[in-house]
Amino acid sequence: MKKLTILGDITPAQFLRDYWHKKPLLIRQAIPGFKPLLSLAALSALAAQDHVESRLVSHTDGAWAMQQGPLASLPPRDEKEWTLLVQGANLHHADADALLRQFRFIPDARLDDLMISFATDGGGVGPHFDSYDVFLLQAQGQRHWRIGPQKDLSLVDGLPLKILANFKPTEEFVLEPGDMLYLPPHYAHDGVAVGDCQTYSIGFRSPSFQELGEAFLQFMADSIDLPGRYADPDLEVTKHPAEIPRAMLSTIAEELNKVRFTEDDVTIFLGEHLSEPKHNVFFKGPPKPLTPERFAQSAAKKGVSLSRKSLMLYRGKNVFINGESFAIGRADKVTLEALANARALEGAALAGASEDVMDALYTWYQDGWLELG
């Protein structure tokens, strides 16, 4: 298997076998000569927008403070111990998106987003843990990391941040630009900026089963079919009018037990749930869309690519994109799976596309889910 520079001298298979969910990994010069993809001015401009999730964390005289975006202004550059966090930078910047895609040896169903942290000297968010795997890539300056596998994950009460009450690190490193640290879920860590510092966090989705269960029941509510209405033609006089009748309980329990779900139900739910855009993601179609005929001609020449904001998944006969699902036939399977995996198709790959596929691509183009070229 081909080795990826981003994992140093080990293959993705070795990484998943030996480190994923198991133990930290420090990779010196994962991306040699790496430089920040966005300036502080560009990050500040993103943080000022309503649809960008951002936070400002400061630590002054021992007191933590956090302000949610949009952020109209930032503290002075020469003021110490403040941190700007911009979530989902990959949605707004092509190079940030390209960086995130270097981690696609992990399924898209698990890959979440790229968060950029800019901190002045001494800045950080305190010792904490994440519920998901994370890669921490140093982009500018230095960051001093202390990490540890502690089991005591109790938090300090009354703070705006989730800060560990009894942090006990067992290792520490200073990361330079291009260095990267992988941490499994619930691994305690604390990163402090040494001078001005940018760190890129590649995070992964790890939904709770409770969240999935609640969403699945809501999903199934639309497909339940229980005809008929409760009736009790053999009802007898009761001596205890406030007591729920045993026969009523049994009859309704029998009907509710007819509710069943299949693996196909779970597949469709999961595909729609995982590909659903986040609340702050908005699509914008072309101001003057081409006609279907002109779109087909242009796609045949230039090819097509998914928008940075689009998430396309598939399983078996089902394809999912941005929270919607549809079943596909065998003839269309190859084309759409290739688009989902490569996130782009050359014009030649569309030569044999069916009318249904071209109709779907045109609709996605109109909605801003897909672009020409």
Side-chain angles (χ1 to χ4, degrees), residues 51-304:
H51 61 281
V52 177
E53 188 179 341
S54 61
R55 288 166 288 162
L56 177 64
V57 176
S58 57
H59 191 221
T60 308
D61 297 328
W64 290 97
M66 183 176 71
Q67 181 183 346
Q68 298 280 3
L71 302 167
S73 62
L74 298 177
R77 183 82 174 255
D78 58 0
E79 184 176 308
K80 293 188 175 184
E81 296 191 54
W82 62 263
T83 299
L84 170 65
L85 303 163
V86 177
Q87 205 81 38
N90 52 291
L91 300 174
H92 310 285
H93 193 277
D95 289 341
D97 180 71
L99 174 61
L100 181 70
R101 303 297 167 193
Q102 291 198 50
F103 294 83
R104 290 185 82 208
F105 54 91
I106 309 292
D108 285 347
R110 290 282 272 113
L111 191 58
D112 191 7
D113 74 346
L114 172 68
M115 182 183 77
I116 297 181
S117 160
F118 175 89
T120 57
D121 188 50
V125 297
H128 65 286
F129 68 92
D130 297 313
S131 300
Y132 49 84
D133 305 83
V134 64
F135 288 93
L136 300 159
L137 174 66
Q138 193 63 19
Q140 173 190 350
Q142 297 177 319
R143 191 178 286 272
H144 179 215
W145 286 102
R146 296 182 299 151
I147 67 173
Q150 69 185 65
K151 294 180 180 178
D152 177 7
L153 298 179
S154 54
L155 303 175
V156 180
D157 290 332
L159 294 184
L161 299 164
K162 293 182 177 179
I163 293 180
L164 289 165
N166 303 301
F167 180 51
K168 295 179 180 177
T170 56
E171 295 179 273
E172 56 184 284
F173 320 95
V174 174
L175 267 62
E176 306 276 352
D179 294 344
M180 186 167 69
L181 177 63
Y182 161 76
L183 296 172
H186 298 111
Y187 210 91
H189 54 286
D190 181 27
V192 177
V194 181
D196 283 358
C197 159
Q198 273 197 49
T199 303
Y200 291 8
S201 301
I202 294 88
F204 295 83
R205 301 182 68 170
S206 182
S208 70
F209 290 127
Q210 180 70 24
E211 172 196 332
L212 292 172
E214 291 174 6
F216 180 66
L217 290 177
Q218 187 63 48
F219 167 83
M220 286 298 292
D222 298 329
S223 59
I224 288 174
D225 183 22
L226 291 174
R229 183 178 293 273
Y230 177 76
D232 42 17
D234 301 321
L235 186 64
E236 297 178 356
V237 174
T238 180
K239 294 178 181 179
H240 308 287
E243 183 179 21
I244 296 173
R246 162 57 63 186
M248 184 181 194
L249 186 63
S250 299
T251 299
I252 292 177
E254 185 179 346
E255 287 300 313
L256 294 182
N257 280 330
K258 292 178 182 177
V259 177
R260 294 283 185 273
F261 59 86
T262 65
E263 187 170 296
D264 202 42
D265 291 324
V266 177
T267 299
I268 294 171
F269 156 71
L270 200 56
E272 292 183 0
H273 183 75
L274 293 178
S275 66
E276 179 74 28
K278 293 182 180 179
H279 67 91
N280 59 341
V281 172
F282 302 96
F283 292 91
K284 190 175 181 181
K288 294 183 179 179
L290 301 175
T291 64
E293 296 75 19
R294 291 288 304 278
F295 169 79
Q297 293 168 2
S298 187
K301 291 179 182 177
K302 302 177 183 178
V304 295

Side-chain angles (χ1 to χ4, degrees), residues 298-334:
S298 187
K301 291 179 182 177
K302 302 177 183 178
V304 295
S305 60
L306 293 176
S307 160
R308 287 197 297 272
K309 298 177 181 180
S310 286
L311 179 54
M312 188 175 181
L313 305 170
Y314 66 86
R315 181 74 202 180
K317 64 181 180 181
N318 297 296
V319 166
F320 313 96
I321 181 168
N322 296 336
E324 295 188 4
S325 65
F326 55 96
I328 52 172
R330 190 172 298 175
D332 298 335
K333 189 176 173 70
V334 173

Side-chain angles (χ1 to χ4, degrees), residues 326-357:
F326 55 96
I328 52 172
R330 190 172 298 175
D332 298 335
K333 189 176 173 70
V334 173
T335 304
L336 291 175
E337 288 185 1
L339 174 59
N341 283 318
R343 296 188 59 82
L345 287 176
E346 294 182 354
L350 295 171
S354 71
E355 188 176 333
D356 285 345
V357 166

